[in-house]
Every structure is written in structure tokens, then in C-alpha cells.
């Protein structure tokens, strides 16, 4: 992100940014949030923005979450099972700070990512230098131009002492969703270690449904579910919430009280109204999900049409999602080499190695973590089309340089 800011500091507008994690500004979604925010600011500004509130979250929002999830999934949660925070990433950090680290134990209780690649931001959640451990995936070729990741449960069960397990589902960057059987096995490992499993639903069910989910959120005494409004169209307003057993949620509320105090209250009220009016469900099912499904199909066609046949490239299988995750299965390919070359063509992508934990220094081309890269589907269609065309040129250039 800093490199992008530095490279574009001169104000040039001709960069094609395919690295962004911001959701697409869909007109109908923008308009809906604007109207809800105007209503809240007009009717309730003084009562919610001019005074402090509870660290667990505004009762209006907490009660709306309790009612919604009990009705939707047949749960039996109360306010004791909910904490609202400034985005799900902050809630994941709070959980990591509470449940992992040295704390006088030997070896330290580590944050375990059960499958990498996973969200790059997770690697900075631990305050210990070696506090995050990532389990490499089983790479499964599923077609001439497609592949899929699977869990290496044997490696997961052998992992060092665990204080917490964390994954995004559907995943950033791949869009991969865990299924009920995989969740059951992950929970089995968490129970054996008596450690929480945190599942970040930022892209999935019940909202925003940007990527297809094979998993219905579930309740378990070792499970913390995190949700956010960021990918539902409010990334800058930092509203997320976690649902889990009181023994995990209670210390998270205390952490909020001693750090941020509470999440922004005006937007908590907006979030509450989006739940009670069912507007969020309507946006997710009728607008957001169809938009990203169509965008994914269009980009798949562009990749098939534009990427060179002479390069062994594969796309991680998925439906919908904000990203395409590409594997260049060639010994000559290196993600940072492509990144540097694409900058000369004024295109930003994200090198794949950043989604794997602690890639070894001095890694040579050919390792899977250096053979992947991510492109975003959030830019406008012209930007994506031209960006992929330039990526195709870059891949052809790298291949010819290796064969020269």
C-alpha cells in the first residue's frame, strides 16, 4: 500500500490499480447507505455522537444482532455473546492479543492460520515476532486452467502450541469457502487445544455474500464468528462485530474499553437499522452477490481470452468474490519480478508471497508462494480489461526473457 501511495504521489491518473481491497462503489448500495446515514444523523445525532457509549456496543445494535442471528440460525445467544468493534480486523487483533503470546508459557501460544494463503493482514496480528504460524495448503489441480487448495490437517494437528486459530471464509485472496465437514475438523483441533477458532466472514454469509459460501455460520463453545459491514459497502466506517461464547467475548469487551472505548456510534445506529429493516439482506442477495458473480464471470472470460496460451497459468476455482488468485506454474516465474515489471506498465497487482506466513529469505523462483498473485475485481471494467492485457504482455515478456 505504501509503494502504491509513493508511486502515485505525483498525482498521475493513468495508473491501473488491480491491487485494491476496497469494494466496488455500486450505485444502489451507496444510495442505500447514504439514506440510512442521513436519517440517523438527522434524528439521532445528538444522542449517539455527542456522548460516550458502552464498550460492548450500542444496545440498539447489540439487540438487533441478537434478534437477527437467533431468528436466522436458531441460536440462543444474548448480549453477553456479542461485541461490536471498529471493523472485524480490529476484533481479530483483539482476540489475538488476548489469546496468544508468551504470557509466561513455554513454548508461546501461537496464532495458527490453518491454511495459507490467507489475508495478509493476519500476519501482523501477533505482538511476538514468531507468533504467527501458517499451514501450507495441499495444491490440487482441477483442470487445464484451474486449481484448488485443500487443508493439510495432518500438518495442522502437528502444529506448535496454539492459542488461537484464525481463517477467513470465504478467503481473501482465493474466495475459497470451508464446508461443514472442514469446520467440524477444525473445531476438533480447537477443542483438543482448548483454543478459540475465529472465522472471519467478511466476504460471506449472511452478508455481504460477495463470494459464494459453502458454510452457514454455526455456534460452538470454541468458535468466534466475526462479521463486518466493510464489504457490504461501508469500508471506511469501521463497523464489525463478533459473536461467541461469553468466556471469549467478555475479555474482548474489556479490551475495547481500555483501547478504543467503543466503535463509532452513529454508524452503529445505521447498522442496527440495516438489520431491523432487512435492508442489509436485500442489498446482499439482490445487488451485491449478483454484481460480483457477474464480474467474476466477465473476468474469467478476459483471462481466458488474453493470457498467453504458452504460459501454464491457473485460476483458483471459485464463484463470485472480490479477487482472482492466479498461479503461474512455471519455474521461471517470480511474483516480485512480475510486480516490478507491471509497475513499468503502470499496473498494480499484489504479489502472492505476502499471503503466506514468513516466506523464507532468499527464496528462489519455483516455490508456490512466489508463483501466485492477486488481482482485484473492484475496479471498473475498462481498468480491469486493460490491466489484464498488460499482465498478459508482462507474462509473455518474462517467458521470452527466460527462454532467450
Amino acid at each position: 500500500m505504501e509503494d502504491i501511495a509513493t508511486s502515485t504521489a505525483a498525482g498521475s491518473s493513468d495508473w491501473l490499480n488491480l491491487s485494491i481491497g476496497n469494494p466496488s462503489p455500486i450505485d444502489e448500495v451507496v444510495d442505500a447507505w447514504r439514506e440510512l446515514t442521513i436519517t440517523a444523523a438527522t434524528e439521532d445525532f445528538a444522542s449517539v455522537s455527542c456522548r460516550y457509549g458502552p464498550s460492548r456496543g450500542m444496545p440498539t445494535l447489540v439487540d438487533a444482532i441478537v434478534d437477527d442471528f437467533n431468528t436466522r440460525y436458531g441460536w440462543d445467544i444474548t448480549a453477553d455473546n456479542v461485541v461490536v468493534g471498529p471493523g472485524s480486523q480490529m476484533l481479530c487483533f483483539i482476540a489475538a492479543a488476548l489469546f496468544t503470546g508468551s504470557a509466561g508459557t513455554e513454548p508461546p501460544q501461537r496464532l495458527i492460520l490453518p491454511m495459507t494463503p490467507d489475508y495478509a493482514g493476519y500476519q501482523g496480528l501477533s505482538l511476538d515476532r514468531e507468533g504467527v504460524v501458517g499451514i501450507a495448503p495441499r495444491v490440487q489441480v482441477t483442470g487445464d486452467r484451474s486449481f484448488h487448495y485443500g487443508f493439510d490437517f495432518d500438518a495442522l494437528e502437528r502444529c506448535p502450541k496454539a492459542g488461537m486459530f484464525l481463517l477467513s471464509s470465504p478467503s481473501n485472496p482465493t474466495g475459497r469457502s470451508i464446508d461443514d465437514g472442514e469446520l467440524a475438523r477444525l473445531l476438533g483441533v480447537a477443542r483438543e487445544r482448548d483454543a478459540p477458532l475465529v472465522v472471519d466472514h467478511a466476504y460471506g454469509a449472511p452478508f455481504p455474500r460477495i463470494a459464494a459460501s459453502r458454510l452457514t455460520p454455526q455456534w460452538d463453545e470454541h468458535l468466534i464468528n466475526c462479521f463486518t459491514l466493510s464489504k457490504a459497502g461501508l469500508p471506511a466506517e469501521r463497523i464489525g462485530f463478533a459473536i461467541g461464547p461469553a468466556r471469549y467475548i467478555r475479555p474482548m469487551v474489556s479490551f475495547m474499553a481500555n483501547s478504543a472505548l467503543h466503535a463509532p456510534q452513529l454508524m452503529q445506529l445505521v447498522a442496527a437499522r440495516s438489520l431491523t429493516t432487512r435492508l442489509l439482506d436485500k442489498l446482499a442477495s439482490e445487488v451485491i452477490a449478483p454484481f460480483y458473480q457477474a464480474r467474476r464471470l466477465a473476468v474469467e472470460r478476459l483471462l481466458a481470452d488474453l493470457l498467453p496460451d504458452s504460459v501454464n497459468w491457473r485460476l483458483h476455482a471459485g464463484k463470485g468474490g472480490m479477487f482472482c488468485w492466479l498461479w503461474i506454474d512455471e519455474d521461471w516465474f517470480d511474483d516480485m519480478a512480475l510486480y516490478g515489471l507491471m509497475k513499468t506498465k503502470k499496473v498494480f497487482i499484489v504479489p502472492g508471497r505476502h499471503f503466506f506466513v514468513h516466506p523464507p529469505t532468499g527464496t528462489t523462483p519455483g516455490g508456490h508462494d512466489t508463483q501466485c498473485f492477486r488481482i482485484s475485481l473492484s475496479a471498473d471494467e475498462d481498468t480491469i480489461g486493460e490491466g489484464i492485457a498488460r499482465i498478459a504482455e508482462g507474462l509473455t515478456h518474462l517467458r521470452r526473457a527466460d527462454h532467450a
Side-chain angles (χ1 to χ4, degrees):
M1 292 175 67
E2 182 144 349
D3 188 32
I4 293 173
T6 301
S7 300
T8 59
S12 173
S13 60
D14 56 351
W15 285 88
L16 304 178
N17 190 354
L18 301 188
S19 72
I20 53 177
N22 202 81
S24 293
I26 306 170
D27 289 344
E28 189 172 345
V29 176
V30 172
D31 291 344
W33 288 122
R34 180 189 295 115
E35 290 303 314
L36 271 185
T37 304
I38 289 172
T39 299
T42 301
E43 298 179 0
D44 302 287
F45 182 82
S47 63
V48 299
S49 291
C50 299
R51 63 184 67 178
Y52 295 122
S55 297
R56 183 180 300 277
M58 290 183 63
T60 301
L61 176 55
V62 172
D63 290 345
I65 292 168
V66 168
D67 290 344
D68 183 273
F69 279 77
N70 282 344
T71 300
R72 190 188 299 268
Y73 298 124
W75 293 355
D76 189 27
I77 63 172
T78 69
D80 290 340
N81 303 116
V82 178
V83 58
V84 178
S88 59
Q89 183 166 344
M90 183 62 183
L91 292 168
C92 290
F93 171 76
I94 290 172
L98 289 168
F99 308 128
T100 70
S102 298
T105 64
E106 185 60 39
Q109 296 184 358
R110 291 185 169 92
L111 170 60
I112 308 296
L113 308 184
M115 183 200 294
T116 56
D118 208 336
Y119 177 47
Y122 292 160
Q123 297 183 40
L125 294 183
S126 175
L127 301 179
D128 290 345
R129 178 174 296 179
E130 302 297 327
V132 181
V133 174
I135 307 300
R138 296 186 184 276
V139 183
Q140 305 163 349
V141 173
T142 56
D144 290 342
R145 295 298 186 186
S146 63
F147 77 106
H148 185 73
Y149 290 128
F151 284 96
D152 186 343
F153 284 108
D154 292 338
L156 178 61
E157 290 165 356
R158 295 193 306 267
C159 69
K161 186 173 178 62
M164 179 177 124
F165 300 89
L166 170 63
L167 76 159
S168 58
S169 181
S171 165
N172 172 3
T174 67
R176 186 194 191 282
S177 171
I178 62 175
D179 59 29
D180 291 343
E182 290 168 336
L183 177 63
R185 192 156 182 185
L186 290 169
L187 282 171
V189 177
R191 290 190 196 102
E192 182 181 345
R193 308 298 180 87
D194 193 24
L197 168 65
V198 179
V199 178
D200 186 349
H201 300 269
Y203 298 88
F207 46 78
R209 302 180 201 166
I210 278 178
S213 178
R214 297 185 295 167
L215 177 71
T216 298
Q218 297 183 23
W219 173 265
D220 188 271
E221 287 298 322
H222 283 84
L223 180 61
I224 302 173
N225 289 292
C226 287
F227 305 90
T228 179
L229 296 187
S230 292
K231 302 307 184 289
L234 289 179
E237 300 308 326
R238 313 313 303 141
I239 295 293
F241 57 92
I243 301 175
R247 65 177 175 133
Y248 296 141
I249 297 299
R250 191 179 303 111
M252 294 178 71
V253 173
S254 296
F255 194 109
M256 280 290 301
N258 289 294
S259 56
L261 190 57
H262 55 67
Q265 292 199 128
L266 182 65
M267 300 316 297
Q268 288 191 59
L269 186 58
V270 170
R273 290 178 173 173
S274 74
L275 287 172
T276 57
T277 62
R278 314 302 293 180
L279 173 65
L280 190 50
D281 272 344
K282 179 179 175 65
L283 290 176
S285 61
E286 298 181 12
V287 183
I288 297 173
F291 175 90
Y292 284 100
Q293 289 167 1
R295 178 62 60 85
R296 169 77 182 211
L297 289 173
V299 173
E300 286 181 0
R301 288 192 291 268
L302 282 171
L303 293 170
D305 291 343
L306 298 177
L307 293 191
D309 291 335
S310 58
V311 173
N312 188 17
W313 62 269
R314 300 179 191 277
L315 175 65
H316 191 280
K319 296 180 180 178
M322 274 182 57
F323 310 109
C324 281
W325 179 253
L326 289 146
W327 171 28
I328 309 302
D329 188 12
E330 301 277 7
D331 290 341
W332 50 260
F333 180 80
D334 179 77
D335 59 337
M336 291 303 297
L338 179 66
Y339 178 78
L341 178 60
M342 296 318 301
K343 282 183 63 179
T344 69
K345 298 177 178 293
K346 291 202 166 183
V347 178
F348 285 113
I349 60 170
V350 184
R353 69 182 67 192
H354 298 308
F355 298 88
F356 294 85
V357 176
H358 303 309
T361 57
T363 299
T364 56
H368 185 78
D369 59 348
T370 68
Q371 291 184 322
C372 300
F373 64 96
R374 192 192 79 178
I375 61 174
S376 172
L377 309 186
S378 298
D380 63 81
E381 292 177 326
D382 291 341
T383 296
I384 294 174
E386 178 59 28
I388 291 174
R390 296 185 195 180
I391 290 171
E393 294 172 359
L395 291 173
T396 299
H397 175 88
L398 291 174
R399 181 182 183 278
R400 287 175 178 170
D402 179 76
H403 287 72

